[in-house]
Structure formats: structure tokens, C-alpha cells
Amino acid sequence: MAKIALDKVSFTYPSADKATLANLSLQIAQGESHALLGASGAGKTTLLNVLSGLLQPSSGQIFFDDIEVSQLSGRQRQVAQVFQFPVLYESLNVADNLAFPLRVQKLTKSKVNARVDYICGELGLDAVRQAKPKSLSLFEKQLVAVGKALVRPDVSLVLLDEPLTAVEPKIKWRLRQTLRKVQAEFGVTMIYVTHDQTEALTFADRVSVLTADGIVQTDTPQAVYQSPAHEFVGHFVGSPGMNFVPADVLSIPGAQRVGFRSEWASLVTRAPLMGVIKRQRVQGTRKGKVYGLVTVQTAFGPIYVRGDLADGGADAALGTAVGVQVDRYVAFANQQKVAESDRL
Amino acid sequence: MLPLLTNKRWLKVTAFKPHNNRAWLGVLPVFLIVGFSAVIPLMTVVNYSVQDILDFNSRFFVGFQWYRDTLNDARFVDAFIRQIGFSATVLAVEIPLGIAVAKGISKTSRMTPIVLVLLALPLLIPWNVVGTIWLMFARPDIGLLGVLINAAGFSYNYTADPLHAWLTLVAMDVWHWTSLVALLSFAGLTSIPAPYYQAAELDGARAWQVFRYVELPRLRGVLVIAVLLRLMDSFMIYTEPFVLTGGGPGNSTTFLTQYLATMAVGQFDLGPAAAFSVLYFLFILLFCWLFYTMVMRNDER
């Protein structure tokens, strides 16, 4: 368990002419669960491999607890990793799999057993201790892989590489819940790499959004959602992503574009931003009223507004001209946040 | 047949399915083809093995007489023991050596395809050419290998010394067939996803542990095939020893096939040769079955 610091870390693949990671700086506190969120091609896997010691940074430094580890192997850094699919020793049973990293360190038998018992208890693996990985479900296998990452008492950092990709959606939340619980109890520093914004926002204490140009924002999930520092963040996070319109449409000075979330706007009869209702998607009812997502076709592309739907069914209002009233916004210039309105 | 019956999941699944015996009609062509290609010729041999055939018109039913004779035949028993010794020796050399060669091949180098083709070369050479190559290669008077060994100070003559004949035969088989094991193992090794190696590295596993716990379990499938192929092939080896040593010196390298050929083609003892063939066939079947069930039982545990 360590605090992690990246100082201007760059990485260029030998055959590439452009750096995959350029001047990344990042601080992660001890015991923090941190999510690295990014689209494919943003360099998530490269950054992960740099952290795990598989790749060594072309320049810059990595510190674990203020000790420089840039040139050390993952083994020396005492990093553990959980992969996209469960990676276990298939010929060993669950207990032996968990004991493997400890036995390699030549710990005494009683220490190994105590630690394996503890992990099995925490992760609810007692019933399958003697089972071979082959006979376990995908969920259980991934749980054992998580246990194997946590079993070493001296582990400095646990890396999770989209660990829920292979797990079916129904039990995704269960594994995430377990991870969250274990992370809180063990106080392990965890870095969770994902392209799924829901996973990132629900799992982590802090989220870093990674693009090909580097980290564009590092903040709490709430701040990343409510006050994106970069247009990409607003666009990438949230379902649907932020709506963007030119700033002069809403008469907001000093900005080029204005972004607002679908729930920050409402439909009125007249507003500076006018459009035609193109589609209505029912998402549920609230206090007896049907609400959902309305797609309004405007001169600046489709705008999504979340709120109560008009009476008379989803099709009744199609084609109606409406105004979009923006109650709260974030203003951007050169894609960077320049201003942000308070809730009105 | 056996794994199918012992696999309980299979039984469970079929229990819910309605029976439709018309499906057998679909399998009928396969039965016919197998019947003509295997069962009928085999039955002819079985038919011969219980009769004493003197000429076209006179033959007598002798029951299991030929089988008893064969099993009591000292030359059969000797050849059988030699055969087992040969198969065990080549398996013991070729499997570990093949794995070692496969581990030595780089997975990413640009030379890899060339190395693989070079490795496959011995597999493309006809059996009796292999025999002829070694016949000349190992000759103590003009062969490169034979002359070199003698020049190094070891008296070596595979045509005179039974031990030398054996070693030469084993060397020839290893030269001919190790590539097969190596190629199969290489295919198995390349199919191991990189995260398995990464995880083992982060766990602090040493090289032998990576081999024992990551690679070997994943090579199991191809190794079972490699062992079965080499077991059957080496147990039936004929052409190469026939060309190289002709079974000699004495009878020291006479294997089952060669003895059988002498009986059937040389002496035209069709009855005993047929009984011999059936026994031979059953033994190969038995060994393969034993090996396979042993592996599968280990798997279930």
C-alpha cells in the first residue's frame, strides 16, 4: 500500500513517431481507489503497463511512497494486477492459487494459511477452496484473481485492467460491489482502468479522464460529471453525453461553446434555442408523471433534454416546435472550461 | 466410447431430449464406409487367424491355436519386449527434447517461419529415404557420423554391435520425429495469452514455476496428442529399421512388424501371421486406451 506519483511520464513505442503518453503527471493517495477512464486508443493500456513495470517510461519518473521506481520491474515494485479475463494457475485449486504468490516469497506455512483463510473469508471463497478454476463460474474465477492480487500483505498497488469486461452484466454490479467493499476494508491503493464511465464513476474515489493528448481532468466522480474541465470529458461522461451549442446562441460572453447536461435543461414554448421534437424515449415515471429523454432537432444538431414527457403518448408531440431553456451550463473556450453557472 | 459414457453431463443432457431413432439413418453412410475400409479387412484377418489354410481347397478350423502359439513363441515375446523398449526410449527422449526445442524458438522473431520450415523438413522425408540416409550417414567406413565417432576415439560399428545398432535407431527416430513434438508444443506455447506470463512475473514465479504451472498445464492437450501419435507410430515402426539394420545384428533390432513380415510374406504362414496381427492391433489399442484413461482420470481429480 503506497501513494503513487507520476512526474511528467512519457512513453513512445520504439516503432512509433508519436508519443503514446506525453508528460503525464498524476498523484494518487495511499488507499485511494482511482479510475483511469478513456476511450480506446487513449493509451490506457500503455499507462497500465508503465505502472505495472512491463514497460519503462521513455522519460519522467514514477514514485511509490517517494521512492523512484521508474526502472524497477513490477515484481520489485510489488504491484499486483487483475486482467480483463481471469488469469489463474489452472492446474492448482483455489487455495493453492491464492497461496502461490506467498509461497514464492518463502513465507512460513502458518502465515500462508492464515493469509489465505483471511482472503477466502473476505471474498466468500470458503466453499470453493478445493475447487479447480475449471469448475468455477467466470464471476468466481475473477474473484479468485482479485484475491490473488490482494493476498500479498506487502502489495503496493493493485491494477485492475477492465476486470468486468468478461463478466456478464447481471453479476457485474456484484463483483464491483465486492471490489468496493474489499478496497475500503483493506485500504489498498487501486487503479482501475476502464472505458466504461459508469464503472469508473461508481467505483472510484477519483477519476482521471485520459485522451490521446494526456490526462484532461482528475477529480471526484461528481466533479467530473458536473463540471467537466474539457469538452471531451463532458462529451464522454454521462449517458447521453453533454449537449454543446455555440456560446452566442445563449448570449454567454467570453466563451466559444456552452455545454449542458440533458437534465439541466427544460422545454418551454419560446427560448433563444429553438427546435423540433424528433423523438421521445420513456425512461420511467416520477410522481405519476411519465418522464424520459426528448430529442430536439435544432440548427446545432440534436439536443437531449431529460424531463416530464407531454401527455398523450410518445408520438403525440413529435414535430412540435419547442424552445430549450438552459438552467445551468459550463462554458468552454478552446475546449477548456472557462466558466460555469451556479444552479439557477 | 469410454469418456462419452463416463461423462455424466452428457447423460444428463440427453435425458431431456426426445428419442428419435431415425437419426441413426444419417450415420449409416459412415458405418458403411468404415465397414468397407476397416471392419471387413480386419474381419478377414480374424477369419484367417482361426484357420489353418493349406491351399485353396483345404483349410481347418483351429480355434485359438495360433493365438496360443504366438503368445508362447519366444521370438514374439522378445520382439514385443524390444518394441516396448524402443517406444519407451524414443518417447522419453522425443517429448522432453521437443518441448525444449519449442521453448527455444522465439515467438516474435522474423526468422520464426524459416525455423519452423527447417524443423518440419525431416517430417517430409519418406521413411525408407530416412533409413537410407542414416544407413550411409552412420557407416563406420565412409559415413560422416560413423567416421567422426571413430575418429573421436570411440569404436563404433552399428552393423556389428547390438548396442550401437540400438543407439543409431533411436538417434534416427529422434532426428525424424522430434520436430513433430516441437511443432505441436510450439503451437501450444504460442496459444498461451501474454497475461498469464505477466501474472506469473508479478507473482514472483521463477522460470521453472512458469514452466510447471503456466506452460505445462496449457500444453497438456497437444502433448497428449503428441504422445499418442508417437506411441502408435513407434510401436508400428517398420521401414526405417528394415532399411538401416534389417533387424540385426542377430535379432537385436527385430521389432514386431519385421517379425510379422517375415512370417506373412517370407514364410507365408497366413494363420499364425493373422493371429499375430490381431494381437498386435489389440496391444496398440490397449496401450493407447491405458494412456488416454490415465490422463483423463488425472484430469478429473
mmCIF file of all heavy atoms in Angstrom, chain B residues 139-165:
data_model
loop_
_atom_site.group_PDB
_atom_site.id
_atom_site.type_symbol
_atom_site.label_atom_id
_atom_site.label_comp_id
_atom_site.label_asym_id
_atom_site.label_seq_id
_atom_site.Cartn_x
_atom_site.Cartn_y
_atom_site.Cartn_z
ATOM 1 N N ARG B 139 27.577 -45.150 -41.438
ATOM 2 C CA ARG B 139 28.550 -46.205 -41.772
ATOM 3 C C ARG B 139 29.929 -45.885 -41.223
ATOM 4 O O ARG B 139 30.437 -44.780 -41.410
ATOM 5 C CB ARG B 139 28.632 -46.364 -43.293
ATOM 6 C CG ARG B 139 27.683 -47.424 -43.820
ATOM 7 C CD ARG B 139 27.795 -47.512 -45.296
ATOM 8 N NE ARG B 139 29.066 -48.134 -45.679
ATOM 9 C CZ ARG B 139 29.186 -48.911 -46.751
ATOM 10 N NH1 ARG B 139 28.149 -49.140 -47.517
ATOM 11 N NH2 ARG B 139 30.349 -49.436 -47.060
ATOM 12 N N PRO B 140 30.548 -46.837 -40.523
ATOM 13 C CA PRO B 140 31.843 -46.536 -39.890
ATOM 14 C C PRO B 140 32.973 -46.331 -40.899
ATOM 15 O O PRO B 140 33.989 -45.702 -40.572
ATOM 16 C CB PRO B 140 32.114 -47.761 -39.018
ATOM 17 C CG PRO B 140 31.227 -48.830 -39.528
ATOM 18 C CD PRO B 140 30.062 -48.198 -40.211
ATOM 19 N N ASP B 141 32.816 -46.835 -42.142
ATOM 20 C CA ASP B 141 33.933 -46.680 -43.082
ATOM 21 C C ASP B 141 33.835 -45.407 -43.922
ATOM 22 O O ASP B 141 34.821 -44.710 -44.117
ATOM 23 C CB ASP B 141 34.050 -47.923 -43.986
ATOM 24 C CG ASP B 141 32.713 -48.298 -44.608
ATOM 25 O OD1 ASP B 141 31.693 -47.647 -44.248
ATOM 26 O OD2 ASP B 141 32.691 -49.220 -45.451
ATOM 27 N N ILE B 142 32.611 -45.070 -44.418
ATOM 28 C CA ILE B 142 32.527 -43.894 -45.281
ATOM 29 C C ILE B 142 31.517 -42.854 -44.787
ATOM 30 O O ILE B 142 31.468 -41.740 -45.309
ATOM 31 C CB ILE B 142 32.156 -44.293 -46.734
ATOM 32 C CG1 ILE B 142 30.860 -45.135 -46.729
ATOM 33 C CG2 ILE B 142 33.293 -45.032 -47.409
ATOM 34 C CD1 ILE B 142 30.235 -45.270 -48.101
ATOM 35 N N GLY B 143 30.668 -43.212 -43.788
ATOM 36 C CA GLY B 143 29.646 -42.273 -43.332
ATOM 37 C C GLY B 143 30.230 -41.176 -42.459
ATOM 38 O O GLY B 143 31.130 -41.417 -41.661
ATOM 39 N N LEU B 144 29.684 -39.968 -42.601
ATOM 40 C CA LEU B 144 30.229 -38.834 -41.857
ATOM 41 C C LEU B 144 30.173 -39.083 -40.345
ATOM 42 O O LEU B 144 31.168 -38.930 -39.633
ATOM 43 C CB LEU B 144 29.435 -37.570 -42.230
ATOM 44 C CG LEU B 144 29.862 -36.290 -41.533
ATOM 45 C CD1 LEU B 144 31.281 -35.912 -41.926
ATOM 46 C CD2 LEU B 144 28.896 -35.153 -41.859
ATOM 47 N N LEU B 145 28.980 -39.493 -39.879
ATOM 48 C CA LEU B 145 28.810 -39.711 -38.433
ATOM 49 C C LEU B 145 29.714 -40.840 -37.937
ATOM 50 O O LEU B 145 30.440 -40.683 -36.945
ATOM 51 C CB LEU B 145 27.345 -40.034 -38.125
ATOM 52 C CG LEU B 145 27.027 -40.300 -36.665
ATOM 53 C CD1 LEU B 145 27.096 -39.028 -35.854
ATOM 54 C CD2 LEU B 145 25.652 -40.941 -36.510
ATOM 55 N N GLY B 146 29.671 -41.980 -38.654
ATOM 56 C CA GLY B 146 30.448 -43.148 -38.243
ATOM 57 C C GLY B 146 31.932 -42.846 -38.183
ATOM 58 O O GLY B 146 32.615 -43.165 -37.208
ATOM 59 N N VAL B 147 32.428 -42.165 -39.213
ATOM 60 C CA VAL B 147 33.857 -41.856 -39.278
ATOM 61 C C VAL B 147 34.233 -40.904 -38.140
ATOM 62 O O VAL B 147 35.249 -41.095 -37.461
ATOM 63 C CB VAL B 147 34.209 -41.244 -40.652
ATOM 64 C CG1 VAL B 147 35.634 -40.676 -40.642
ATOM 65 C CG2 VAL B 147 34.065 -42.294 -41.756
ATOM 66 N N LEU B 148 33.373 -39.888 -37.919
ATOM 67 C CA LEU B 148 33.664 -38.907 -36.877
ATOM 68 C C LEU B 148 33.731 -39.556 -35.498
ATOM 69 O O LEU B 148 34.634 -39.290 -34.716
ATOM 70 C CB LEU B 148 32.616 -37.799 -36.879
ATOM 71 C CG LEU B 148 32.804 -36.696 -37.929
ATOM 72 C CD1 LEU B 148 31.699 -35.668 -37.813
ATOM 73 C CD2 LEU B 148 34.166 -36.043 -37.765
ATOM 74 N N ILE B 149 32.745 -40.441 -35.205
ATOM 75 C CA ILE B 149 32.733 -41.082 -33.890
ATOM 76 C C ILE B 149 33.996 -41.921 -33.702
ATOM 77 O O ILE B 149 34.639 -41.891 -32.651
ATOM 78 C CB ILE B 149 31.462 -41.948 -33.706
ATOM 79 C CG1 ILE B 149 30.237 -41.050 -33.682
ATOM 80 C CG2 ILE B 149 31.555 -42.773 -32.430
ATOM 81 C CD1 ILE B 149 28.937 -41.804 -33.596
ATOM 82 N N ASN B 150 34.354 -42.663 -34.748
ATOM 83 C CA ASN B 150 35.565 -43.475 -34.658
ATOM 84 C C ASN B 150 36.812 -42.613 -34.531
ATOM 85 O O ASN B 150 37.732 -42.937 -33.786
ATOM 86 C CB ASN B 150 35.669 -44.406 -35.875
ATOM 87 C CG ASN B 150 34.778 -45.628 -35.688
ATOM 88 O OD1 ASN B 150 34.918 -46.357 -34.709
ATOM 89 N ND2 ASN B 150 33.837 -45.820 -36.602
ATOM 90 N N ALA B 151 36.802 -41.481 -35.262
ATOM 91 C CA ALA B 151 37.956 -40.575 -35.195
ATOM 92 C C ALA B 151 38.090 -39.974 -33.805
ATOM 93 O O ALA B 151 39.186 -39.655 -33.356
ATOM 94 C CB ALA B 151 37.814 -39.478 -36.243
ATOM 95 N N ALA B 152 36.914 -39.829 -33.115
ATOM 96 C CA ALA B 152 36.950 -39.253 -31.774
ATOM 97 C C ALA B 152 37.468 -40.256 -30.744
ATOM 98 O O ALA B 152 37.575 -39.941 -29.564
ATOM 99 C CB ALA B 152 35.569 -38.745 -31.376
ATOM 100 N N GLY B 153 37.714 -41.463 -31.172
ATOM 101 C CA GLY B 153 38.320 -42.430 -30.272
ATOM 102 C C GLY B 153 37.359 -43.480 -29.761
ATOM 103 O O GLY B 153 37.732 -44.335 -28.971
ATOM 104 N N PHE B 154 36.089 -43.439 -30.179
ATOM 105 C CA PHE B 154 35.135 -44.470 -29.764
ATOM 106 C C PHE B 154 35.012 -45.474 -30.900
ATOM 107 O O PHE B 154 34.817 -45.097 -32.047
ATOM 108 C CB PHE B 154 33.763 -43.866 -29.484
ATOM 109 C CG PHE B 154 33.803 -42.805 -28.422
ATOM 110 C CD1 PHE B 154 33.838 -41.455 -28.752
ATOM 111 C CD2 PHE B 154 33.806 -43.172 -27.073
ATOM 112 C CE1 PHE B 154 33.876 -40.482 -27.779
ATOM 113 C CE2 PHE B 154 33.833 -42.200 -26.096
ATOM 114 C CZ PHE B 154 33.870 -40.852 -26.439
ATOM 115 N N SER B 155 35.130 -46.729 -30.559
ATOM 116 C CA SER B 155 34.947 -47.748 -31.576
ATOM 117 C C SER B 155 33.453 -47.901 -31.820
ATOM 118 O O SER B 155 32.705 -48.242 -30.913
ATOM 119 C CB SER B 155 35.567 -49.057 -31.092
ATOM 120 O OG SER B 155 34.980 -50.128 -31.779
ATOM 121 N N TYR B 156 33.027 -47.593 -33.035
ATOM 122 C CA TYR B 156 31.597 -47.584 -33.317
ATOM 123 C C TYR B 156 31.323 -48.316 -34.615
ATOM 124 O O TYR B 156 31.929 -48.021 -35.661
ATOM 125 C CB TYR B 156 31.115 -46.129 -33.409
ATOM 126 C CG TYR B 156 29.751 -45.959 -34.040
ATOM 127 C CD1 TYR B 156 28.576 -46.162 -33.303
ATOM 128 C CD2 TYR B 156 29.626 -45.577 -35.374
ATOM 129 C CE1 TYR B 156 27.340 -45.991 -33.888
ATOM 130 C CE2 TYR B 156 28.379 -45.407 -35.956
ATOM 131 C CZ TYR B 156 27.248 -45.612 -35.207
ATOM 132 O OH TYR B 156 26.018 -45.448 -35.776
ATOM 133 N N ASN B 157 30.442 -49.324 -34.567
ATOM 134 C CA ASN B 157 30.022 -50.015 -35.777
ATOM 135 C C ASN B 157 28.621 -50.575 -35.555
ATOM 136 O O ASN B 157 28.434 -51.570 -34.884
ATOM 137 C CB ASN B 157 31.003 -51.143 -36.107
ATOM 138 C CG ASN B 157 30.669 -51.788 -37.445
ATOM 139 O OD1 ASN B 157 29.630 -51.473 -38.038
ATOM 140 N ND2 ASN B 157 31.523 -52.672 -37.894
ATOM 141 N N TYR B 158 27.635 -49.891 -36.114
ATOM 142 C CA TYR B 158 26.245 -50.285 -35.833
ATOM 143 C C TYR B 158 25.862 -51.591 -36.508
ATOM 144 O O TYR B 158 24.865 -52.192 -36.173
ATOM 145 C CB TYR B 158 25.270 -49.159 -36.215
ATOM 146 C CG TYR B 158 25.044 -49.014 -37.701
ATOM 147 C CD1 TYR B 158 24.017 -49.726 -38.336
ATOM 148 C CD2 TYR B 158 25.822 -48.158 -38.471
ATOM 149 C CE1 TYR B 158 23.802 -49.584 -39.692
ATOM 150 C CE2 TYR B 158 25.617 -48.020 -39.810
ATOM 151 C CZ TYR B 158 24.603 -48.732 -40.433
ATOM 152 O OH TYR B 158 24.388 -48.609 -41.752
ATOM 153 N N THR B 159 26.640 -52.041 -37.474
ATOM 154 C CA THR B 159 26.294 -53.293 -38.129
ATOM 155 C C THR B 159 26.774 -54.497 -37.332
ATOM 156 O O THR B 159 26.338 -55.610 -37.574
ATOM 157 C CB THR B 159 26.915 -53.364 -39.542
ATOM 158 O OG1 THR B 159 28.326 -53.155 -39.412
ATOM 159 C CG2 THR B 159 26.320 -52.306 -40.450
ATOM 160 N N ALA B 160 27.655 -54.253 -36.360
ATOM 161 C CA ALA B 160 28.218 -55.384 -35.623
ATOM 162 C C ALA B 160 27.795 -55.401 -34.158
ATOM 163 O O ALA B 160 27.597 -56.459 -33.585
ATOM 164 C CB ALA B 160 29.751 -55.343 -35.703
ATOM 165 N N ASP B 161 27.640 -54.219 -33.571
ATOM 166 C CA ASP B 161 27.370 -54.146 -32.134
ATOM 167 C C ASP B 161 25.891 -53.864 -31.892
ATOM 168 O O ASP B 161 25.371 -52.840 -32.351
ATOM 169 C CB ASP B 161 28.240 -53.038 -31.537
ATOM 170 C CG ASP B 161 28.170 -53.021 -30.020
ATOM 171 O OD1 ASP B 161 27.038 -53.148 -29.493
ATOM 172 O OD2 ASP B 161 29.220 -52.884 -29.383
ATOM 173 N N PRO B 162 25.182 -54.737 -31.182
ATOM 174 C CA PRO B 162 23.746 -54.539 -30.950
ATOM 175 C C PRO B 162 23.441 -53.192 -30.275
ATOM 176 O O PRO B 162 22.490 -52.504 -30.665
ATOM 177 C CB PRO B 162 23.367 -55.695 -30.014
ATOM 178 C CG PRO B 162 24.397 -56.731 -30.249
ATOM 179 C CD PRO B 162 25.658 -56.017 -30.608
ATOM 180 N N LEU B 163 24.281 -52.813 -29.266
ATOM 181 C CA LEU B 163 24.050 -51.537 -28.575
ATOM 182 C C LEU B 163 24.166 -50.370 -29.551
ATOM 183 O O LEU B 163 23.335 -49.456 -29.568
ATOM 184 C CB LEU B 163 25.051 -51.374 -27.425
ATOM 185 C CG LEU B 163 24.914 -50.055 -26.670
ATOM 186 C CD1 LEU B 163 23.593 -50.008 -25.916
ATOM 187 C CD2 LEU B 163 26.088 -49.840 -25.731
ATOM 188 N N HIS B 164 25.191 -50.436 -30.426
ATOM 189 C CA HIS B 164 25.372 -49.368 -31.410
ATOM 190 C C HIS B 164 24.196 -49.323 -32.375
ATOM 191 O O HIS B 164 23.727 -48.247 -32.757
ATOM 192 C CB HIS B 164 26.685 -49.556 -32.173
ATOM 193 C CG HIS B 164 27.891 -49.423 -31.295
ATOM 194 N ND1 HIS B 164 29.170 -49.705 -31.719
ATOM 195 C CD2 HIS B 164 28.005 -49.024 -29.999
ATOM 196 C CE1 HIS B 164 30.024 -49.502 -30.726
ATOM 197 N NE2 HIS B 164 29.327 -49.092 -29.676
ATOM 198 N N ALA B 165 23.710 -50.482 -32.755
ATOM 199 C CA ALA B 165 22.561 -50.543 -33.661
ATOM 200 C C ALA B 165 21.354 -49.873 -33.012
ATOM 201 O O ALA B 165 20.638 -49.081 -33.627
ATOM 202 C CB ALA B 165 22.252 -51.996 -34.010
#
